[in-house]
Amino acid sequence: MKKLGLNTICTHVGEVKDEQFKGAVSPMYLSSSYEFLDVDVKRYPRYFNTPNQEFLSKKIAALEHAEDAIIFGSGMAAISTMFLAFLQKGDHLVVQNTLYGGTVNFIKEELPKYGIEFTFTNGYKVEDFENAIQSNTKLIHIETPSNPLMTITDIKAIAELGKSRNVHTSIDNTFASPVNQNPLDFGIDMVMHSATKYFGGHSDICAGAVASTSEHIERIWNVGKNLGGSLSDMTVWMLERSMKTLGLRVKAQTKNAMKLAKWLNKHPKVSKVYYPGLKSHPEYKLAKSQMKGFGAMLSFELTDDLDSYNFQKHLKLIKSSMSLAGIESTVISPHLTSHALLTQEERDNVGISDQLIRFSVGIESTKDIKEDIEQAIQKVI
Ligand SMILES: *Cc1c(COP(=O)(O)O)cnc(C)c1O
């Protein structure tokens, strides 16, 4: 097929054709039981192959420049199924030290029960990954930009490291989304998403996905049908509808994030801004080489004289909210949420101060977002 543009893929690829009534949108197939005589595909919701699941996975594959994709009931179902498809008893996993909290918990709490070993790297440089590899290492998993400090891992270098050591590689591409980053183009084997975030985009869907070669997706499917983490077709349908505007939304959010990062960076009451699109970011050049846009997630620290908790309470437009990537702007204190279980010393070591605020930038007018931040700052001065 001819290479289609981003918004054409978002709008049209993976539509389920309404042959009966010629409706403009995909019909929703809620059937949990399908014909089994004289059919090539035995369809069943937990086999990830109902019409809506099968077709939406084509959209995700197209967006990630992959042969195939598979949709799950959550980002964690996607990541856990992917890990368990590529790791078995006696194998070893190398993972980046800065990862989504749920992924860290899965690794620490579940993998030992399967006899799977793991090492968290000391940092996010290629050498850190190389040093962690053992003779039984079967998978390297990275996350870039990472949560919450937006560190950047060299995707191409990790892909090459994996290939040279005969180790599979995977990436959590949730923060960038396929609009801003396509890791498979740099040689990574598998890319996963929490579709709860940008794919859904309206803070009302929980889902996940993995995109890769047909061979790898089949391997994941074989484990997935046993673990049973499939997504309901009603949600699959909602996700397809949401993804039609993925390109539009994420581009608007990314543009806003760049403007706000620059503005915050100059603000006298903001001591630090973490955003890969700022030239002051330590991996700005690397980010530029592997990202199409710098994403819509950023973090900043208020100066020490301001109470960051009260600041958030005074925000009127921006919501303080647990999740991220919706069209509405939200903020969160990592030290009270995602990293609350770490000790003060552990948080200091990874650079997560009490003043740090993670900011998921929405599509609102930047003028209004700036005004909201400014008035909240004035209240706590
Ligand atoms: C939210 C998130 C996940 C987990 O996804 P769920 O849909 O909540 O299961 C994984 N990785 C990243 C980076 C996330 O933000």
Side-chain angles (χ1 to χ4, degrees):
M1 194 167 67
K2 191 163 97 283
K3 202 163 171 280
L4 298 171
L6 172 68
N7 287 324
T8 314
I9 295 174
C10 287
T11 317
H12 291 297
V13 175
E15 281 174 293
V16 183
K17 291 270 178 283
D18 177 1
E19 303 290 358
Q20 200 173 4
F21 300 108
K22 316 287 181 204
V25 303
S26 300
M28 192 196 295
Y29 285 92
L30 292 175
S31 194
S32 62
S33 186
Y34 289 84
E35 171 76 56
F36 78 97
L37 295 172
D38 304 323
V39 291
D40 299 335
V41 188
K42 307 274 185 273
R43 294 189 195 274
Y44 185 59
R46 184 169 42 78
Y47 290 175
F48 302 87
N49 63 5
T50 56
N52 293 92
Q53 289 182 84
E54 184 184 313
F55 279 74
L56 180 57
S57 65
K58 292 183 204 286
K59 192 192 294 292
I60 293 170
L63 286 168
E64 281 294 10
H65 307 166
E67 274 173 21
D68 207 351
I70 180 167
I71 301 155
F72 290 90
S74 68
M76 284 316 301
I79 202 158
S80 54
T81 308
M82 177 176 79
F83 280 2
L84 293 175
F86 283 83
L87 297 164
Q88 52 186 4
K89 193 174 167 196
D91 288 347
H92 176 252
L93 165 73
V94 171
V95 270
Q96 189 171 323
N97 61 348
T98 44
L99 276 191
Y100 176 71
T103 310
V104 173
N105 289 344
F106 173 72
I107 292 168
K108 289 187 175 165
E109 291 171 15
E110 305 302 329
L111 292 188
K113 298 179 192 166
Y114 292 83
I116 298 165
E117 298 169 28
F118 54 85
T119 303
F120 284 88
T121 58
N122 284 327
Y124 49 93
K125 304 276 179 239
V126 193
E127 306 82 73
D128 296 311
F129 290 86
E130 194 157 16
N131 292 337
I133 293 180
Q134 301 177 181
S135 59
N136 57 343
T137 303
K138 291 286 156 59
L139 182 66
I140 300 174
H141 180 73
I142 62 171
E143 197 174 304
T144 179
S146 78
N147 182 23
L149 296 176
M150 312 302 144
T151 63
I152 304 294
T153 307
D154 189 333
I155 301 176
K156 188 159 171 271
I158 297 296
E160 282 168 4
L161 173 67
K163 289 205 167 63
S164 74
R165 304 292 286 267
N166 218 2
V167 173
H168 285 118
T169 49
S170 61
I171 180 170
D172 187 330
N173 202 28
T174 302
F175 267 34
S177 94
V179 176
N180 287 319
Q181 183 167 275
N182 290 123
L184 299 183
D185 292 351
F186 295 92
I188 289 282
D189 293 316
M190 291 165 284
V191 43
M192 65 76 48
H193 284 275
S194 166
T196 313
K197 314 297 162 54
Y198 289 108
F199 283 17
H202 298 72
S203 310
D204 55 9
I205 283 174
C206 182
V210 183
S212 184
T213 59
S214 305
E215 192 190 335
H216 289 337
I217 294 299
E218 193 181 342
R219 190 164 164 174
I220 294 167
W221 178 80
N222 271 308
V223 175
K225 73 185 197 307
N226 293 335
L227 294 179
S230 60
L231 184 63
S232 91
D233 281 294
M234 223 175 284
T235 314
V236 172
W237 189 90
M238 278 178 70
L239 187 55
E240 189 208 332
R241 174 175 140 151
S242 297
M243 289 188 69
K244 290 179 186 185
T245 56
L246 177 75
L248 291 175
R249 282 187 276 111
V250 175
K251 286 215 162 161
Q253 287 172 273
T254 299
K255 201 170 155 194
N256 275 359
M258 185 58 126
K259 281 193 202 160
L260 290 163
K262 284 184 176 159
W263 178 73
L264 287 166
N265 209 27
K266 285 200 201 121
H267 199 289
K269 288 291 164 192
V270 173
S271 54
K272 193 142 189 168
V273 180
Y274 300 86
Y275 184 65
L278 290 179
K279 293 210 171 78
S280 54
H281 187 287
E283 290 104 22
Y284 167 75
K285 282 211 177 98
L286 176 59
K288 203 168 157 49
S289 74
Q290 64 188 26
M291 300 183 83
K292 292 179 278 181
F294 297 105
M297 297 298 302
L298 63 92
S299 289
F300 62 95
E301 277 168 18
L302 292 174
T303 52
D304 286 336
D305 51 319
L306 304 188
D307 183 330
S308 77
Y309 187 80
N310 274 334
F311 161 77
Q312 288 175 70
K313 280 181 132 180
H314 285 295
L315 290 168
K316 290 180 179 151
L317 194 67
I318 303 169
K319 296 182 173 125
S320 52
S321 143
M322 285 288 282
S323 200
L324 59 108
I327 48 166
E328 67 283 347
S329 291
T330 60
V331 290
I332 201 172
S333 278
H335 86 283
L336 297 175
T337 54
S338 56
H339 295 72
L341 295 178
L342 301 187
T343 62
Q344 184 70 47
E345 195 189 344
E346 284 172 324
R347 276 197 296 272
D348 289 346
N349 284 340
V350 283
I352 293 165
S353 80
D354 291 1
Q355 293 300 87
L356 187 73
I357 292 168
R358 189 193 71 191
F359 187 5
S360 170
V361 179
I363 60 168
E364 303 93 335
S365 304
T366 44
K367 173 179 134 301
D368 297 327
I369 304 177
K370 284 180 194 170
E371 265 174 36
D372 194 25
I373 294 174
E374 193 58 56
Q375 64 82 23
I377 286 179
Q378 292 309 323
K379 295 243 171 65
V380 293
I381 278 179

